[in-house]
């Protein structure tokens, strides 16, 4: 069973990797997104002379991490899932000797695997652009990775909820945007959580995204 | 013992009914109205291991719906299905291990990847032992002529090439039962031939039970031993292919080569027992029913007006029989 899940994940990654343009475009996307965030903060910094108590270097590092994490936390299979419900490809998934849930967990793993690859690539490039020197301890790195791995099931459940909405609605896009916005805000991808109104940061403690 | 059993199987679809015009559609937003439509209406059958069954009927008769219930993709509204001791929609995953299915217009192969990748995934998912996988792959490659296709991306294959790969993928894990829903749709005669031979071959070797729906009567002629005919969700015939012909195919066509014909035959002979469908100076084509008369009687009548040189008789083919049945509705 574990074998099947990993094979599915591998298939998914292969499917993405067959077109080089996928990788290049996704990576550029991430770089541009990161660039925009950092420029906004630079503008704030230049105007007001501070960035809510963060140093400029801290802000840049924060967003380099965001660039790495965005694909891992916001990518997923909900679109694929609802398309397959709508165009009937779901029959293939229902005929597999593996539960629907596990089947998609495999695909989701593949998506996130590829996302991690894109994220890390974009992260490394931005380190060069912004001349960030990373010196983190091994312990920090490992706990960072562990936290990211723990997040995978959580985001997967969210993906499942939005994806299976395909049974009821044909506008997944709206749901998808909603899901993304929630994840963006509560996981601090847009801005550090400490900068939000207290209610939001409090809520985010209970929402484990 | 029956490997597939359907008892009083019913599937009702709920369809939305809308009033006309944009207002009707908007009204529906607040107060939806539904209508029930019975696609499969209380069917019963038993299929034994190793049987090759042709499941036929007009467009919209309920064939695909039945197949979907047998595979467990759809839950029946009422009635019972038991496949290999399991209730498919309850133990779908367990059941999936024993079955294979092709839905003609859809593909189970991975669109962007080479065909062989999909095969490898199947091997992994169904836990096919290495040796068995190799053996099957080699055999299927030969039988279905897949040699040059395995490394190609699925999206680049033609319809017929894709279907051959699809069929191979379906049989790869040695399923006990295979459901083929229009596997020959849109294929050329050679590919069809190839696929039919493959199905028969595997059935013979592995005793695989095959249920085949198709609109190509030749598929049935060549592959199936048994026919289940369904119309508006009800079974109207279930039995051996030959019996089907005997039951419905009472019409016989005959062609007579004649000489010294005098005048128009159709006008002169007004027999209730046979009808002349076509005639010229040398040839008369006619149709009669076994039950009403014999060829000898027909000849006797005809030879009053001409000299018969030769006769050519033909039992009606499956296609003609089906045409008659479908026309009657
Ligand atoms: N999801 C659905 N909702 C409502 N009605 C449906 C649905 N699926 C099928 N039907 C209806 O059920 C009937 C049987 O459909 P089915 O697909 O089983 O026919 P079929 O015998 O396979 O026909 P064909 O030879 O055209 O493939 C049709 O009248 C169809 O319109
Ligand atoms: Mg059909």
């Amino acid at each position: 069973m574990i074998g099947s899940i990993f094979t599915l994940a591998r298939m998914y990654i292969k499917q993405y990797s067959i077109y080089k343009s996928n990788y290049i475009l996704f990576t550029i996307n991430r770089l541009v997104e990161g660039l925009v965030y950092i420029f906004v903060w630079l503008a704030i910094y230049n105007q007001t002379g501070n960035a809510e108590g963060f140093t400029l270097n801290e802000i840049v590092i924060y967003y380099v991490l965001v660039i790495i994490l965005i694909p891992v936390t916001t990518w997923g299979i909900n679109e694929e899932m609802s398309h397959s419900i709508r165009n009937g490809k779901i029959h293939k998934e229902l005929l597999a000797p593996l539960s629907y849930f596990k089947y998609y967990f495999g695909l989701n793993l593949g998506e996130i695997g590829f996302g991690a690859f894109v994220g890390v690539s974009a992260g490394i490039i931005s380190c060069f652009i912004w001349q960030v020197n990373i010196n983190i301890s091994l312990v920090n790195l490992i706990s960072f990775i562990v936290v990211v791995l723990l997040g995978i099931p959580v985001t997967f459940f969210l993906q499942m909820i939005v994806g299976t909405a395909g049974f009821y609605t044909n506008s997944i896009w709206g749901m998808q945007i909603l899901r993304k916005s929630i994840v963006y805000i509560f996981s601090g991808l847009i801005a550090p959580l400490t900068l939000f109104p207290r209610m939001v940061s409090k809520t985010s403690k209970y929402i484990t995204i | 013992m029956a490997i597939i059993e359907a008892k009083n199987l019913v599937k009702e679809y709920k369809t939305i009914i809308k009033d006309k015009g944009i207002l009707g559609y908007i009204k529906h937003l607040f107060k939806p109205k539904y209508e029930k439509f019975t696609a499969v209406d209380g069917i019963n059958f038993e299929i034994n291991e190793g049987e090759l069954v042709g499941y036929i009927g007009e467009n919209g008769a309920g064939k695909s719906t039945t197949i979907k219930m047998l595979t467990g993709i759809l839950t029946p509204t009422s009635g019972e299905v038991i496949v290999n001791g399991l209730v498919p929609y309850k133990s779908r995953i367990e059941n999936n291990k024993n079955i294979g299915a092709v839905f003609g217009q859809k593909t189970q192969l991975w669109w962007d990847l080479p065909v062989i990748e999909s095969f490898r995934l199947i091997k992994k998912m169904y836990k096919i032992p290495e040796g068995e996988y190799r053996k099957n792959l080699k055999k299927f490659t030969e039988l279905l002529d897949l040699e040059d296709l395995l490394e190609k991306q699925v999206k680049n294959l033609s319809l017929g090439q894709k279907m051959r790969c699809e069929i191979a993928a379906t049989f790869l894990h040695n399923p006990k039962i295979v459901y083929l829903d229009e596997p020959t749709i849109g294929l050329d005669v050679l590919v069809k031939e190839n696929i039919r031979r493959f199905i028969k071959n595997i059935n013979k070797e592995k005793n695989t039970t095959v249920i085949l729906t198709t609109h190509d009567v030749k598929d049935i002629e060549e592959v199936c031993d048994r026919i289940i005919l369904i119309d508006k969700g009800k079974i109207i015939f279930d039995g051996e292919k030959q019996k089907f012909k005997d039951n419905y195919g009472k019409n016989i066509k005959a062609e007579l080569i004649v000489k010294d014909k005098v005048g128009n035959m159709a006008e002169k002979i007004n027999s209730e027992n046979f009808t002349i469908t076509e005639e010229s100076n040398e040839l008369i084509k006619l149709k009669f029913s076994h039950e009403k008369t014999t060829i000898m009687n027909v000849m006797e009548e005809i030879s009053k007006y001409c000299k018969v040189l030769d006769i050519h008789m033909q039992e009606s083919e499956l296609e003609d029989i089906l045409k008659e049945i479908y026309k009657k509705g």
Side-chain angles (χ1 to χ4, degrees), chain B residues 13-15 37 39 57-66 68 181-182 215:
Chain B
Y13 286 120
K14 220 164 67 171
T15 50
F37 174 81
E58 282 177 85
N59 283 132
K63 302 180 295 294
S64 302
T65 306
T66 316
K68 283 177 194 158
D181 193 352
E182 306 194 28
H215 289 294

Side-chain angles (χ1 to χ4, degrees), chain A residues 1 3-4 7-8 11-12 14-15 18-19 87-88 91-100 103 107, chain B residues 71 73 92-93 96-97 101 103 106-110 112-113 117-118 121 124-127 153 155:
Chain A
M1 186 204 84
S4 306
T7 313
L8 279 164
M11 295 277 283
Y12 209 77
K14 279 183 194 162
Q15 185 180 281
I18 232 168
Y19 306 104
N87 65 21
H91 84 277
K92 162 174 115 180
E93 292 138 23
L94 292 180
L95 285 170
L98 191 74
S99 76
Y100 189 62
Y103 192 96
L107 298 189
Chain B
T71 53
I73 296 180
R92 203 187 71 239
I93 292 148
N96 283 348
K97 293 177 186 161
F103 289 90
K106 314 222 168 90
T107 177
Q108 57 180 319
L109 305 169
W110 285 56
D112 290 311
L113 295 180
E117 293 284 351
S118 296
L121 175 67
K124 198 84 192 181
M125 286 201 300
Y126 289 92
K127 302 194 176 57
Q153 275 173 279
K155 61 170 189 173

Side-chain angles (χ1 to χ4, degrees), chain B residues 306-323:
Chain B
C306 60
K307 206 167 155 191
V308 179
L309 296 180
D310 198 3
I311 327 173
H312 213 90
M313 280 189 10
Q314 198 182 22
E315 264 191 48
S316 48
E317 290 191 7
L318 216 47
E319 181 155 356
D320 302 314
I321 304 174
L322 284 178
K323 234 187 267 169

